[in-house]
Amino acid sequence: MGMTCFVHKETGEVEEVMNSPQAEYDDEYQKVKKEIMEKIVSWGEVYCIEPPGSHDSYRCMERFVDEKIPNHTRLKVNLLEALERTHSFRNFRRLIDNSDYREEWFAFKDECMETYIHKKLESAKPRKYRGKKDQWEYDWEEEEREEDQLEIGGEF
């Protein structure tokens, strides 16, 4: 889930397409998506930034607990336990939402996303998108290549 962002190579203009299986059945969404993808085709070369994977998001939560929550507190213990159980994202969010660290979490998460986007843009090569008449999936002119998974984290 999330948004795939397309960045125009020359102007820096950004267009986003929602990645949601439910939206695929929405006629209005399909109309808007088609218009956006036609625009991207007209741009020529673009940078494509896929949303971070669950590993990256999980790593961001781990770093937050490690760096921002004081040691030897009940909240830290509970958050670490939540990250080890099933439904770790839901459990983490519930604990954070009911804590004094909620706003700090959102600011930290934004920093993680900015770092992720900067790393993706630094390593990305612009590609030319070509749309197909009735198919608006990502169809790139150059051969698909496996990109290194970038972790959110490490150095800011």
Side-chain angles (χ1 to χ4, degrees):
M1 203 83 95
M3 303 287 260
T4 298
C5 296
F6 298 92
V7 182
H8 188 282
K9 179 184 173 187
E10 302 299 323
T11 67
E13 184 178 351
V14 175
E15 286 291 344
E16 301 169 333
V17 175
M18 185 173 22
N19 299 330
S20 169
Q22 294 85 2
E24 295 298 323
Y25 299 104
D26 183 325
D27 291 336
E28 184 62 28
Y29 167 77
Q30 287 300 320
K31 179 182 171 191
V32 170
K33 182 178 178 181
K34 184 176 180 181
E35 290 170 5
I36 291 170
M37 299 314 280
E38 287 173 347
K39 182 177 185 179
I40 292 166
V41 169
S42 73
W43 283 354
E45 291 189 321
V46 298
Y47 296 101
C48 176
I49 302 173
E50 296 289 345
S54 59
H55 172 76
D56 296 315
S57 299
Y58 186 88
R59 178 71 184 118
C60 183
M61 293 186 303
E62 284 182 322
R63 285 189 49 238
F64 178 78
V65 173
D66 184 53
E67 296 174 18
K68 301 295 183 181
I69 306 297
N71 289 329
H72 310 295
T73 61
R74 188 78 198 137
L75 179 60
K76 187 164 196 156
V77 170
N78 289 342
L79 287 169
L80 290 172
E81 288 175 358
L83 290 173
E84 300 214 358
R85 293 192 314 250
T86 57
H87 307 294
S88 55
F89 290 89
R90 181 185 328 151
N91 294 326
F92 179 90
R93 179 69 190 261
R94 181 182 48 79
L95 289 167
I96 286 295
D97 282 349
N98 294 307
S99 77
D100 294 336
Y101 290 89
R102 186 174 189 274
E103 295 306 315
E104 193 171 347
W105 160 244
F106 287 120
F108 188 87
K109 185 177 172 185
D110 286 347
E111 287 178 18
C112 287
M113 280 302 295
E114 286 178 22
T115 300
Y116 174 82
I117 290 167
H118 285 287
K119 285 183 177 183
K120 285 296 241 180
L121 284 173
E122 286 172 2
S123 66
K125 292 182 182 174
R127 300 188 287 178
K128 190 168 183 158
Y129 174 82
R130 66 167 184 240
K132 294 182 179 175
K133 196 171 195 173
D134 294 320
Q135 179 184 345
W136 293 99
E137 297 304 315
Y138 310 130
D139 182 19
W140 300 98
E141 283 191 0
E142 68 182 49
E143 195 174 298
E144 288 290 327
R145 63 186 189 283
E146 191 174 312
E147 295 180 353
D148 295 334
Q149 182 177 8
L150 295 175
E151 279 192 21
I152 297 176
E155 314 77 38
F156 279 120

